[in-house]
């Protein structure tokens, strides 16, 4: 047993490949334009004014507003293996270890990002924890349509819209003839071929739930900014076991950039 030829880039690449395949946070958010240390930067362009033409043209100066978000969320994984060099050399032996870390990281970041439903514009909120919407197979489809209508009224772009639901809500939708009765859910949560009011349906069990209240989140990709990076992956000989250890640190951060492009429905499902 030894740690003589550990290659962190190999572990990082496999970790990120598995993570990216399943991460909803990566799918539904905007990536930063710059990462400097633990700060991620997003640029928001100003609106362009449309004017009446009367023989001359006045030029607008289009500026961008920078939004800096601190990647203040820090999570680590630590795995004990018999022999790092042997596992790494075998290749296929790495995958079970990497998969477990990637799935846990994905669930953690998804939960954090989906918890930002609290930043939705006040006009885009349907129901609340006190007066939730009681969803049934008769009204669930139309309730999601209403979320899309909220985005429409805020003139949110039609492309790159998502609606995140959980499995209970998907089950109700599957009983509505306007939705497929045998939905295929891809690894990243996307319900293949299913859109409601222009929003791609995505399934996640990381949506906030408290006291039986569920959240359904509708948003445009520009509503939330999210960035992450693997800060360090390293191997070492363990002092308290006849084994090696591999550990990694991940930092990430996220924030609502456009509240008007985010809508939320609070509901119960019988």
């Amino acid at each position: 047993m030894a740690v003589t030829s550990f290659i962190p880039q190999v572990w990082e690449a496999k970790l990120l490949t598995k993570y990216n395949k399943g991460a909803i946070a990566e799918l539904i958010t905007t990536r930063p334009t710059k990462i400097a240390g633990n700060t991620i930067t997003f640029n928001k362009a100003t609106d362009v004014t449309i004017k009446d033409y009367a023989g001359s043209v006045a030029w607008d100066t289009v500026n961008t507003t920078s939004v800096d978000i601190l990647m203040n969320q820090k999570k680590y994984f630590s795995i004990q293996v018999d022999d790092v060099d042997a596992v790494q050399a075998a290749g296929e032996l790495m995958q079970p270890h990497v998969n477990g870390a990637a799935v846990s990281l994905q669930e953690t970041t998804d939960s954090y990002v989906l918890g930002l439903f609290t930043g939705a514009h006040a006009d885009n909120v349907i129901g609340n924890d006190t007066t939730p919407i009681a969803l049934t197979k008769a009204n669930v489809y139309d309730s999601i349509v209403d979320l899309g209508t909220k985005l429409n009224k805020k003139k949110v772009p039609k492309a790159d819209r998502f609606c995140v639901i959980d499995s209970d809500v998907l089950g109700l939708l599957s009983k509505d003839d306007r939705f497929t009765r045998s939905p295929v859910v891809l690894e990243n949560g996307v319900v293949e071929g299913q859109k409601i009011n222009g929003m791609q349906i995505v399934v996640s069990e990381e949506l906030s739930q408290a006291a039986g209240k569920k959240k359904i989140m509708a948003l445009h990709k520009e509503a939330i900014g999210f960035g992450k990076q693997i800060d360090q992956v390293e191997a070492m000989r363990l002092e308290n076991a006849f084994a090696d250890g591999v550990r990694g640190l991940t930092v990430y951060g996220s924030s609502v950039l456009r509240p008007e492009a985010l809508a939320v429905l609070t509901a119960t499902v019988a």
Side-chain angles (χ1 to χ4, degrees):
M1 300 181 189
V3 184
T4 58
S5 58
F6 178 72
I7 307 173
Q9 294 83 358
V10 172
W11 291 77
E12 290 174 11
K14 288 184 177 293
L15 176 68
L16 288 175
T17 297
K18 178 62 178 177
Y19 168 83
N20 289 332
K21 283 183 178 179
I24 291 173
E26 299 283 346
L27 174 70
I28 66 174
T29 61
T30 294
R31 294 184 179 183
T33 55
K34 183 177 69 172
I35 299 178
N38 280 357
T39 300
I40 49 179
T41 301
F42 301 85
N43 288 327
K44 296 171 60 176
T46 57
D47 293 332
V48 176
T49 303
I50 303 300
K51 313 174 186 67
D52 293 325
Y53 180 68
S56 61
V57 174
W59 297 94
D60 289 337
T61 300
V62 179
N63 298 313
T64 58
T65 302
S66 294
V67 178
D68 291 334
I69 298 173
L70 185 64
M71 291 192 290
N72 57 3
Q73 302 297 307
K74 298 182 179 182
K75 307 294 180 181
Y76 76 91
F77 67 87
S78 54
I79 307 167
Q80 177 177 306
V81 296
D82 288 337
D83 189 332
V84 165
D85 289 342
V87 168
Q88 185 171 274
E92 70 275 5
L93 295 179
M94 289 178 58
Q95 208 58 55
H97 300 294
V98 170
N99 285 353
V103 170
S104 296
L105 175 60
Q106 171 222 313
E107 291 173 351
T108 301
T109 55
D110 284 351
S111 178
Y112 183 73
V113 169
L114 294 175
L116 295 177
F117 68 86
T118 54
H121 193 286
D123 294 341
N124 294 351
V125 176
I126 301 176
N128 53 53
D129 289 341
T130 303
T131 56
I133 306 300
L135 294 181
T136 66
K137 66 179 182 179
N139 70 357
V140 62
Y141 192 99
D142 291 337
S143 295
I144 293 177
V145 169
D146 291 343
L147 279 177
T149 300
K150 293 287 188 183
L151 299 183
N152 290 341
K153 294 176 74 172
K154 291 297 183 184
K155 300 181 180 179
V156 175
K158 299 293 190 295
D160 293 325
R161 289 188 185 185
F162 301 91
C163 182
V164 187
I165 63 175
D166 69 6
S167 295
D168 288 335
V169 177
L170 178 64
L172 287 181
L173 282 172
S174 300
K175 299 174 183 179
D176 191 303
D177 290 336
R178 291 169 290 182
F179 199 84
T180 181
R181 291 186 176 275
S182 300
V184 176
V185 182
L186 304 180
E187 188 173 355
N188 62 354
V190 169
V191 183
E192 192 172 36
Q194 294 302 306
K195 289 187 175 183
I196 297 178
N197 200 2
M199 300 180 295
Q200 173 63 57
I201 301 300
V202 181
V203 177
S204 174
E205 298 309 309
E206 309 312 318
L207 282 163
S208 175
Q209 296 190 36
K213 311 299 191 304
K214 295 180 178 292
K215 304 296 178 180
I216 298 178
M217 190 173 179
L219 73 161
H220 185 270
K221 195 176 180 74
E222 294 182 350
I224 296 175
F226 171 71
K228 67 151 192 350
Q229 60 183 4
I230 305 297
D231 197 52
Q232 191 171 2
V233 176
E234 58 186 14
M236 65 207 66
R237 188 67 181 161
L238 299 181
E239 294 182 359
N240 58 350
F242 294 102
D244 299 330
V246 177
R247 65 184 184 184
L249 177 65
T250 302
V251 296
Y252 60 93
S254 186
S255 182
V256 175
L257 301 177
R258 298 182 182 275
E260 72 279 4
L262 177 60
V264 61
L265 182 149
T266 301
T268 57
V269 174

